[in-house]
Amino acid sequence: MFSFTTCVFRPVDYSNGRKCFVSYVISCRFNFYQICQFCRIIVWTSVKIKCLKLVFDCFPYHANLTRFFHLLLSVLVKFNNCAGNKGVRYETNSLDFKVRADGTMYAAHHVQMPSKQLILMVTAWDPQILGRWEAIVRFLVTEKSQHSGHKHQSANGLRRQKRDWVIPPINVPENSRGPFPQQLVRIRSDKDKEIHIRYSITGVGADQPPMEVFSIDPVSGRMYVTRPMDREERASYHLRAHAVDMNGNKVENPIDLYIYVIDMNDNRPEFINQVYNGSVDEGSKPGTYVMTVTANDADDSTTANGMVRYRIVTQTPQSPSQNMFTINSETGDIVTVAAGLDREKVQQYIVIVQATDMEGNLNYGLSNTATAIITVTDVNDNPPEFTTSTYSGEVPENRVEVVVANLTVMDRDQPHSPNWNAIYRIISGDPSGHFTIRTDPVTNEGMVTVVKAVDYEMNRAFMLTVMVSNQAPLASGIQMSFQSTAGVTISVTDVNEAPYFPTNHKLIRLEEGVPTGTVLTTFSAVDPDRFMQQAVRYSKLSDPANWLNINATNGQITTAAVLDRESDYIKNNVYEATFLAADNGIPPASGTGTLQIYLIDINDNAPELLPKEAQICEKPNLNVINITAADADIDPNVGPFVFELPSVPSAVRKNWTITRLNGDYAQLSLRIMYLEAGVYDVPIIVTDSGNPPLYNTSVIKVKVCPCDENGDCTTIGAVAAAGLGTGAIIAILICIIILLTMVLLFVVWMKRREKERHTKQLLIDPEDDVRDNILKYDEEGGGEEDQDYDLSQLQQPETMDHVLNKTPGVRRVDERPIGAEPQYPVRPVIPHPGDIGDFINEVCSVGACVRRTTTPRPPPYDSLLVFDYEGSGSTAGSVSSLNSSSSGDQDYDYLNDWGPRFKKLADMYGGGEED
């Protein structure tokens, strides 16, 4: 195989004046160090290089070129085909470069490179095995410094100016134990002999995070690493070195420092999952893919530190072989390696897989393990088999959806899967399709079910042949077992079946009006039980009009009444009755039959005149009356009708005439020029077209009335036509006027009386009017807030001496007496109206009846009024005892001594007796 070589050329100036092109090479996935000294390259690697050897030769630098280079390059490319490389030949795709037989690639002549890179294709081919291999070689060219090779004039004459400084890449192994700081490289400018120079570095790892990983001695230019490196954290650093004088002036152009962290095997492979789940069908052939396990190593994957290899450590169970599976050491693919996978024996394997780096070297590499669970999936390699070769069952006749027998099977495949689910089929023995076999989804049994009723009189037994299979087809190479077929014997038991009418619904036709007792038909039933000696009895089940009778023994139908087609029980000329036929079996069974009688119409209904009432103008030729007839019969016993006027009485034909319009309609009109308004009964004879025809004399009430110019009866005319004369109409109108007048007078009288009641003066004269007069107010107080009264303000205790000792005639004061107040029952907020009188009587019984005091001016609205206690034993008694002047013999003269306020009251009661 070929490895890829990348050559990067930079000019480096040494004291001997020669030019060397330094190549940075990454080859064969191994670590290396490069040192360039006096135009020779030495490659150091951590392991032995097996496939590539690089040799670089240096040539004089042509100073007269600024952009292009004439390059003579010699590179040794060694090819290893694992067979000794005998007879291998090399060639390139460029005429400027050639490859010798030993693998050395060289420039055939001076090469002018027009760009910064050149890509070549190297091909190795073996004529013995006709094999070809290819590799790509890329040259990266760096221009020389613009001031390189320039000469300048000095005091001592011409001298050559030094080229810029170049530092090769620096390789630092990770996880170094120190001591730190550890020197990496020394940076020195050739101007340090002339002036004092200070060195510094910038970039990530110096003055950018992570900070102070690298440091430099500003005087000597020695650069150090200050702590252990971790390649997995950062694989490389790019710094820039600066050289300035003591004044900070730039002495040299900044140079790039590339620091590469060399990988060490410090990370174990890590599986993506600790448990992997895979599956493989049972019976799979060796080499069948199962699953892939993957482990990642954080170390450099281009080195052995990150190259992971896999192997199987253990397999459980080790049946039928301890090595049922193998794993691809590089890809982690697990495949079967042996035959004999059988789910019915081993359903699952547990395989421990180990991943080791260092290309699987167990002595130097780091390892880790994971678990692979391999499930053996089921295939249909076991056909279902009946547990017995014959089954039997029994079913009553005329029954459906009855399970006759349960068929049991055995299947070693995975339960409740398509490989296990059974499907049953009836192969023979049931040509009429009386049975089907349904599968129980839980037990997988076959349930033989009746789907079409069987008849004992037709089949007393069935011999079925059934076969069972799976939902999924059998695996390749698996044959059906002879035990997948079985026989089922089904016996049919006889039951008492109901008699049935062979012709149900039975239809007969006859004319209506047949006499009672007429035999219509024989409606007989058949008993299907041919092997039972049973009798059948008949009876009526439904006979809406009660027109029929049936013979209980032979089913003969006779009429019990006259059948009328025009009856309400007839629908579309058909009368329907239902009969019952029952046998004497155990238990008895019965069947029904329907008899339909189609009645043929006869002319047994005379026509009726329509309409029954009409109106016409008292003068002819203004309007007519259209008349027709209705007949309950049907064609041909209906129209056309004949309309005519009777000859008696003679006034009918004198006053009226009939004009025929068509077979069903005619017109009635006045024959004379004028007929007095009124209601007239006009008889009309209507005859139908039946055979024989029937006629009917109908009377139509005709209202003759005066009409307006449009031929419509006027209002007065309509009333007159109703039979009232002009005098009667005038009398009715007068009565209506009188009635309305009486109602109006009554209303006026009621209004006047109401007004007088409101304007009636009080009993007290205006000059005697005082505050104690009873005044009418049209308001009831302040609402609910006025109902929370303190009744103690209306009551006085009898123990107050200064009140009891008051002399008669002492006036009350509008102030609340001082002293203790008696405790009385609290009055409800809203008492029942019937309790008010009881409350007043209770207060009066303890001598607490009071009267309002007279004040110079009315108290404020809703103010609390204070009443004085009048004492007990008063000769006047309670005010509530006053009834009327005729209530008894009492002396009211003492009221005159009370002042003008009670004088009027004394005159009313006292003066009444004197009169």
Side-chain angles (χ1 to χ4, degrees):
M1 61 176 290
F2 274 111
S3 298
F4 298 89
T5 302
T6 302
C7 300
V8 180
F9 304 98
R10 287 183 182 151
V12 180
D13 192 353
Y14 290 92
S15 59
N16 60 357
R18 294 178 63 88
K19 196 68 170 183
C20 179
F21 294 89
V22 180
S23 176
Y24 301 93
V25 182
I26 300 177
S27 176
C28 298
R29 302 191 300 273
F30 295 109
N31 301 324
F32 62 94
Y33 295 97
Q34 290 181 336
I35 297 178
C36 181
Q37 183 178 8
F38 297 103
C39 302
R40 297 298 298 173
I41 294 177
I42 302 175
V43 179
W44 292 346
T45 61
S46 60
V47 297
K48 183 179 180 181
I49 298 178
K50 298 180 181 180
C51 61
L52 184 62
K53 178 181 180 182
L54 299 177
V55 177
F56 296 89
D57 292 336
C58 296
F59 303 92
Y61 175 71
H62 299 270
N64 60 340
L65 296 178
T66 59
R67 169 71 181 173
F68 303 100
F69 299 96
H70 294 288
L71 175 63
L72 292 177
L73 175 63
S74 177
V75 179
L76 177 61
V77 182
K78 188 174 182 181
F79 175 75
N80 183 9
N81 64 354
C82 302
N85 299 333
K86 295 180 180 180
V88 177
R89 300 178 184 181
Y90 305 94
E91 59 183 21
T92 67
N93 63 343
S94 175
L95 298 176
D96 297 331
F97 296 90
K98 295 183 179 181
V99 183
R100 299 187 179 95
D102 60 354
T104 302
M105 185 172 65
Y106 62 94
H109 51 270
H110 292 281
V111 179
Q112 183 179 6
M113 304 184 67
S115 62
K116 291 187 177 181
Q117 73 173 4
L118 179 63
I119 300 176
L120 301 177
M121 177 73 71
V122 180
T123 304
W125 60 281
D126 190 344
Q128 297 180 358
I129 63 174
L130 301 178
R132 297 179 66 90
W133 300 267
E134 295 179 347
I136 296 175
V137 179
R138 184 177 60 171
F139 297 94
L140 298 179
V141 182
T142 303
E143 294 185 8
K144 65 184 180 64
S145 176
Q146 292 182 2
H147 62 271
S148 300
H150 287 194
K151 297 180 181 180
H152 62 277
Q153 188 73 28
S154 66
N156 299 328
L158 295 174
R159 70 181 180 88
R160 184 171 174 273
Q161 182 174 329
K162 306 296 183 181
R163 253 70 63 180
D164 289 340
W165 50 335
V166 176
I167 303 298
I170 303 169
N171 298 282
V172 181
E174 67 172 334
N175 302 325
S176 175
R177 297 184 179 180
F180 296 101
Q182 181 180 1
Q183 182 177 342
L184 298 180
V185 71
R186 181 182 180 185
I187 301 174
R188 181 175 173 273
S189 174
D190 54 2
K191 296 181 181 180
D192 59 354
K193 295 179 180 181
E194 301 174 0
I195 59 176
H196 293 287
I197 297 178
R198 291 293 181 265
Y199 302 96
S200 63
I201 56 175
T202 59
V204 176
D207 60 346
Q208 298 178 19
M211 308 285 287
E212 299 179 353
V213 177
F214 304 97
S215 63
I216 190 171
D217 189 325
V219 177
S220 64
R222 290 183 176 88
M223 191 175 72
Y224 301 91
V225 60
T226 61
R227 60 187 184 213
M229 309 293 288
D230 187 358
R231 191 202 67 85
E232 287 71 41
E233 180 179 348
R234 192 176 184 88
S236 64
Y237 296 86
H238 179 202
L239 305 177
R240 303 200 75 183
H242 305 270
V244 298
D245 60 13
M246 300 302 293
N247 295 325
N249 298 320
K250 181 174 68 172
V251 177
E252 299 280 0
N253 291 329
I255 65 169
D256 294 325
L257 299 177
Y258 293 94
I259 302 171
Y260 297 99
V261 183
I262 301 174
D263 183 48
M264 296 296 176
N265 190 21
D266 58 344
N267 291 280
R268 292 180 180 273
E270 296 291 339
F271 283 94
I272 297 178
N273 301 309
Q274 283 300 313
V275 178
Y276 290 85
N277 291 282
S279 61
V280 62
D281 290 340
E282 62 176 331
S284 297
K285 297 179 180 180
T288 302
Y289 172 80
V290 180
M291 69 170 71
T292 299
V293 296
T294 303
N296 297 325
D297 197 316
D299 292 325
D300 189 358
S301 60
T302 62
T303 67
N305 299 334
M307 295 181 182
V308 180
R309 298 294 182 265
Y310 305 92
R311 73 186 187 94
I312 293 178
V313 180
T314 61
Q315 168 194 306
T316 305
Q318 298 181 358
S319 174
S321 172
Q322 61 181 359
N323 295 320
M324 295 296 297
F325 305 95
T326 186
I327 187 170
N328 188 303
S329 61
E330 295 186 3
T331 62
D333 295 340
I334 299 177
V335 297
T336 60
V337 72
L341 290 173
D342 190 352
R343 190 203 65 85
E344 286 73 36
K345 294 180 180 179
V346 179
Q347 298 183 2
Q348 191 178 80
Y349 290 90
I350 298 177
V351 177
I352 305 300
V353 180
Q354 184 183 62
T356 306
D357 57 16
M358 295 301 292
E359 295 185 295
N361 192 323
L362 298 178
N363 295 326
Y364 302 102
L366 302 176
S367 301
N368 211 338
T369 60
T371 302
I373 300 176
I374 302 174
T375 301
V376 181
T377 56
D378 183 50
V379 297
N380 194 12
D381 57 347
N382 294 282
E385 297 178 349
F386 286 104
T387 58
T388 182
S389 59
T390 58
Y391 297 87
S392 62
E394 187 178 78
V395 58
E397 64 174 334
N398 302 322
R399 297 280 300 275
V400 294
E401 297 300 326
V402 177
V403 177
V404 179
N406 290 332
L407 311 181
T408 57
V409 296
M410 180 183 64
D411 197 322
R412 290 177 296 175
D413 291 321
Q414 184 176 357
H416 305 289
S417 69
N419 299 329
W420 179 82
N421 295 335
I423 298 177
Y424 299 89
R425 293 185 297 118
I426 299 176
I427 300 176
S428 62
D430 185 23
S432 300
H434 292 281
F435 305 95
T436 188
I437 304 178
R438 299 167 181 167
T439 304
D440 189 319
V442 178
T443 64
N444 213 30
E445 294 181 353
M447 300 178 292
V448 182
T449 308
V450 181
V451 294
K452 182 179 179 181
V454 295
D455 189 355
Y456 175 82
E457 285 72 26
M458 299 294 295
N459 298 98
R460 299 187 183 184
F462 292 87
M463 300 294 296
L464 308 180
T465 301
V466 298
M467 186 178 68
V468 62
S469 59
N470 294 124
Q471 289 181 354
L474 291 175
S476 178
I478 305 300
Q479 301 296 328
M480 290 293 295
S481 172
F482 70 94
Q483 294 181 349
S484 299
T485 304
V488 181
T489 302
I490 300 175
S491 301
V492 181
T493 58
D494 190 17
V495 297
N496 184 26
E497 300 176 77
Y500 67 93
F501 292 88
T503 55
N504 196 15
H505 301 28
K506 185 176 182 179
L507 178 65
I508 61 174
R509 300 171 62 92
L510 70 154
E511 290 185 349
E512 63 175 328
V514 295
T516 303
T518 302
V519 176
L520 302 181
T521 185
T522 300
F523 197 25
S524 59
V526 177
D527 191 346
D529 296 315
R530 294 178 298 172
F531 303 99
M532 298 181 182
Q533 299 298 326
Q534 299 179 149
V536 178
R537 304 284 293 179
Y538 301 92
S539 61
K540 283 196 306 183
L541 188 62
S542 173
D543 184 10
N546 201 22
W547 286 346
L548 305 175
N549 289 326
I550 186 170
N551 189 296
T553 303
N554 57 17
Q556 188 180 69
I557 306 296
T558 58
T559 58
V562 176
L563 279 62
D564 186 5
R565 192 200 64 84
E566 290 73 31
S567 172
D568 294 335
Y569 299 104
I570 302 298
K571 305 297 180 184
N572 298 324
N573 302 327
V574 176
Y575 179 75
E576 192 172 276
T578 305
F579 299 93
L580 181 70
D583 60 19
N584 58 351
I586 301 175
S590 59
T592 60
T594 301
L595 178 65
Q596 294 178 332
I597 304 175
Y598 185 88
L599 295 178
I600 301 173
D601 184 48
I602 62 174
N603 193 16
D604 57 347
N605 293 278
E608 294 288 337
L609 182 68
L610 294 177
K612 298 296 184 183
E613 295 181 356
Q615 68 180 16
I616 194 172
C617 295
E618 59 187 3
K619 294 181 180 181
N621 299 326
L622 293 179
N623 53 11
V624 294
I625 300 173
N626 293 324
I627 58 176
T628 186
D631 197 325
D633 295 322
I634 61 176
D635 190 69
N637 298 318
V638 288
F641 300 102
V642 177
F643 303 91
E644 56 183 346
L645 296 173
S647 57
V648 178
S650 60
V652 174
R653 291 192 175 186
K654 177 182 178 182
N655 297 334
W656 303 93
T657 182
I658 292 179
T659 304
R660 180 183 177 88
L661 294 179
N662 52 40
D664 295 328
Y665 291 91
Q667 288 183 346
L668 177 66
S669 59
L670 288 174
R671 178 184 292 270
I672 59 178
M673 297 303 298
Y674 174 79
L675 184 64
E676 185 180 0
V679 178
Y680 297 86
D681 292 335
V682 180
I684 298 175
I685 300 173
V686 183
T687 306
D688 61 20
S689 299
N691 186 17
L694 296 180
Y695 68 92
N696 182 30
T697 301
S698 300
V699 176
I700 180 174
K701 289 184 176 294
V702 180
K703 297 179 181 179
V704 180
C705 60
C707 296
D708 54 16
E709 62 276 6
N710 296 323
D712 298 326
C713 287
T714 60
T715 304
I716 298 177
V719 174
L724 297 178
T726 304
I729 295 175
I730 295 175
I732 293 174
L733 293 177
I734 293 174
C735 293
I736 293 174
I737 293 173
I738 294 174
L739 181 61
L740 293 176
T741 303
M742 294 178 63
V743 172
L744 180 62
L745 292 175
F746 178 77
V747 171
V748 171
W749 178 76
M750 291 296 294
K751 291 290 184 179
R752 182 176 181 182
R753 182 180 179 186
E754 182 69 17
K755 184 177 180 180
E756 291 177 354
R757 185 174 64 85
H758 285 294
T759 58
K760 186 178 182 180
Q761 296 183 354
L762 298 176
L763 296 176
I764 303 177
D765 294 333
E767 61 273 10
D768 296 333
D769 188 13
V770 294
R771 291 187 72 255
D772 288 340
N773 287 339
I774 298 176
L775 301 179
K776 178 180 180 299
Y777 294 93
D778 292 333
E779 54 188 53
E780 297 181 359
E784 295 180 355
E785 296 180 356
D786 290 342
Q787 297 180 6
D788 191 10
Y789 299 119
D790 186 1
L791 296 181
S792 62
Q793 303 297 327
L794 301 177
Q795 300 167 343
Q796 299 292 339
E798 296 181 358
T799 57
M800 299 181 62
D801 296 337
H802 72 284
V803 176
L804 298 177
N805 294 330
K806 292 172 68 174
T807 59
V810 177
R811 298 182 62 186
R812 58 187 177 184
V813 294
D814 288 335
E815 64 181 19
R816 183 177 181 179
I818 59 175
E821 298 179 357
Q823 299 297 325
Y824 291 93
V826 180
R827 180 183 178 187
V829 176
I830 305 178
H832 191 276
D835 297 337
I836 297 177
D838 297 337
F839 171 77
I840 296 176
N841 293 332
E842 180 181 359
V843 174
C844 292
S845 64
V846 297
C849 290
V850 297
R851 56 189 176 89
R852 283 187 60 182
T853 179
T854 303
T855 57
R857 64 180 61 183
Y861 178 72
D862 281 351
S863 63
L864 182 63
L865 301 180
V866 181
F867 293 83
D868 196 2
Y869 182 70
E870 295 182 353
S872 60
S874 175
T875 57
S878 174
V879 179
S880 61
S881 62
L882 297 177
N883 293 323
S884 65
S885 59
S886 60
S887 59
D889 296 332
Q890 296 185 16
D891 186 9
Y892 298 101
D893 294 336
Y894 66 92
L895 296 176
N896 295 324
D897 299 333
W898 285 18
R901 286 184 291 268
F902 296 92
K903 182 178 179 181
K904 184 64 175 179
L905 188 62
D907 293 342
M908 291 173 57
Y909 289 91
E913 291 182 358
E914 292 177 0
D915 296 335

